[in-house]
Amino acid sequence: MDEFEIINEFLTLNVKNRKDVIQGIGDDCALLKVPRGQRLAVSMDTLIGDVHFVADSNPEDIAHKAVAVNLSDLAAAGAEPSWVTLSLTLPEFDQQWLTAFHRGLKKIVDYFGVQIIGGDTCKGPLSITVQAHGFVPQQVFIKRNTAKAGELICVTGNLGDAALGLAIAKGELTDVDEDSKEKLLKQYQRPYPRVGAGIALRGRATAAIDISDGLLADVRHISQASGVGVLLRWERIPLSEAAKKVADKPLLMKSALSGGDDYELCFTVKEDEFEATQQALETVGSTCIAIGRMTGKPGVRVLDHDENVAIDTFGYQHFG
Ligand code: ADP
Ligand code: MG
């Protein structure tokens, strides 16, 4: 199969065209319509085999994650996803791999109602780059550098499950019951980005980020960009039943504070907006847990029963 046959067979997804796609896959360029009154929000992420994922892992999971991590960035900005482009570098033509990859891709783009509108296909070491596009009115675009001292810092969902799932996948965490294993692995392999929550946070969150590199690492981005400190309380960090069942406290702390891949949203709100925000998130199926407060004192601190938790890791960093 040549490049063009691969594109035809595996990447043209036969999805119903979105109304805002004038030209999708198949020409030199895609041609697209941005709705009146909205801005185009754009984000890109690359997943490299054996850097971001085990190269021989399930192609359906790889496709899911490549799209999910990008939609998560849009969610953190309050944007509604619309289109994605896909750059695929494959070491060889492997029909079985491409069939599974295509299945994963189709499932997640259909789930979120987004359309693949183009891309590129080359031969080389396995690498997947997705660029996601979405819409958001300019006045409710949620940034990182706009948190203020005194505001509450909150998260959606539970933290640490994905890191525990990874530890299970790598065989580092054994002695785990089947039910917990399945739940934690799923969080690692098929995260569902908080797209609805991001939209619900428009006009409410004063700043937001998605948790991809670990809570502390990502909170630090809000803190540094906004020029404020953060005080977190360990006992408020939301943990799943499965996580509590399989991990002791040190491992729970490491997974929930420094483990990556949760793809939950972390955001700040004014205290008197908290309840309304919690209700707005509830209507889209997300929890909203206040885990601490923004402060005037620089740095990120975590308290466990009024004692400082020693923090020695700030999440995953390339070139770190
Ligand atoms: P060009 O030579 O003009 O770069 P290509 O042969 O790379 O065009 O691509 C032909 C068409 O297929 C274009 O519309 C392109 O966007 C699309 N395409 C190529 N690779 C992919 C891919 N991996 N996923 C989605 N669309 C793709
Ligand atoms: Mg090309």
Side-chain angles (χ1 to χ4, degrees), residues 3-4 7 11 24-28 86 88 116-121:
E3 175 195 333
F4 301 103
I7 295 166
L11 300 167
I25 292 176
D27 213 309
D28 296 316
L86 168 70
L88 198 53
I116 300 184
I117 45 109
D120 201 24
T121 307

Side-chain angles (χ1 to χ4, degrees):
M1 262 198 176
D2 70 17
E3 175 195 333
F4 301 103
E5 286 166 325
I6 292 176
I7 295 166
N8 277 334
E9 177 95 18
F10 296 102
L11 300 167
T12 309
L13 294 169
N14 304 320
V15 284
K16 216 178 106 203
N17 269 357
R18 284 174 58 105
K19 284 209 189 78
D20 49 23
V21 178
I22 303 163
Q23 170 68 56
I25 292 176
D27 213 309
D28 296 316
C29 292
L31 192 65
L32 308 156
K33 280 190 258 190
V34 178
R36 193 179 293 274
Q38 309 236 30
R39 297 288 186 241
L40 184 63
V42 179
S43 176
M44 175 190 276
D45 261 308
T46 296
L47 299 187
I48 300 173
D50 290 332
V51 175
H52 299 92
F53 60 90
V54 182
D56 66 0
S57 51
N58 181 349
E60 230 181 300
D61 293 339
I62 299 171
H64 177 99
K65 208 150 176 180
V67 174
V69 300
N70 279 280
L71 298 189
S72 182
D73 282 322
L74 290 183
E80 182 183 348
S82 53
W83 316 308
V84 299
T85 49
L86 168 70
S87 174
L88 198 53
T89 307
L90 302 170
E92 60 186 342
F93 171 72
D94 177 341
Q95 174 132 11
Q96 231 183 341
W97 193 94
L98 275 166
T99 304
F101 185 83
H102 175 266
R103 202 182 314 125
L105 208 54
K106 180 158 171 52
K107 262 191 216 158
I108 188 165
V109 299
D110 285 352
Y111 182 86
F112 285 104
V114 301
Q115 187 173 336
I116 300 184
I117 45 109
D120 201 24
T121 307
C122 318
K123 191 169 176 180
L126 181 60
S127 165
I128 300 122
T129 298
V130 169
Q131 175 158 287
H133 309 72
F135 310 134
V136 59
Q138 188 168 332
Q139 65 276 16
V140 292
F141 176 60
I142 310 169
K143 303 188 19 148
R144 294 180 181 184
N145 63 355
T146 37
K148 299 250 163 27
E151 290 171 352
L152 295 173
I153 183 157
C154 308
V155 291
T156 58
N158 294 316
L159 301 184
D161 283 3
L164 291 169
L166 175 60
I168 292 169
K170 291 206 293 201
E172 293 168 0
L173 184 61
T174 50
D175 190 23
V176 176
D177 64 284
E178 277 307 311
D179 187 46
S180 305
K181 180 176 169 179
E182 195 187 312
K183 283 182 177 143
L184 297 169
L185 274 175
K186 196 163 154 250
Q187 284 302 314
Y188 170 65
Q189 291 162 341
R190 305 267 172 114
Y192 274 82
R194 294 286 186 182
V195 168
I199 295 167
L201 288 173
R202 289 176 176 179
R204 300 183 197 278
T206 54
I209 193 165
D210 66 315
I211 306 176
S212 53
D213 297 333
L215 175 69
L216 296 182
D218 291 315
V219 157
R220 192 159 68 153
H221 290 311
I222 293 186
S223 159
Q224 289 180 338
S226 300
V228 289
V230 185
L231 185 61
L232 301 177
R233 296 205 164 260
W234 166 249
E235 69 272 16
R236 304 248 175 91
I237 304 289
L239 302 167
S240 72
E241 289 308 313
K244 287 189 271 190
K245 211 164 170 189
V246 306
D248 58 10
K249 190 169 169 185
L251 181 59
L252 274 177
M253 280 192 158
K254 184 168 167 247
S255 309
L257 298 177
S258 308
D261 286 324
D262 284 318
Y263 299 102
E264 295 294 345
L265 297 182
C266 176
F267 54 94
T268 52
V269 286
K270 294 195 174 70
E271 188 153 22
D272 58 9
E273 281 280 318
F274 177 73
E275 263 178 50
T277 304
Q278 201 169 32
Q279 278 167 20
L281 288 183
E282 205 172 291
T283 61
V284 294
S286 274
T287 53
C288 169
I289 307 291
I291 57 170
R293 206 175 271 281
M294 308 311 282
T295 70
K297 187 176 165 186
V300 179
R301 286 184 302 145
V302 186
L303 292 185
D304 182 16
H305 303 296
D306 296 328
E307 271 185 52
N308 273 302
V309 173
I311 298 164
D312 59 357
T313 163
F314 270 110
Y316 187 76
Q317 285 180 16
H318 292 273
F319 310 110

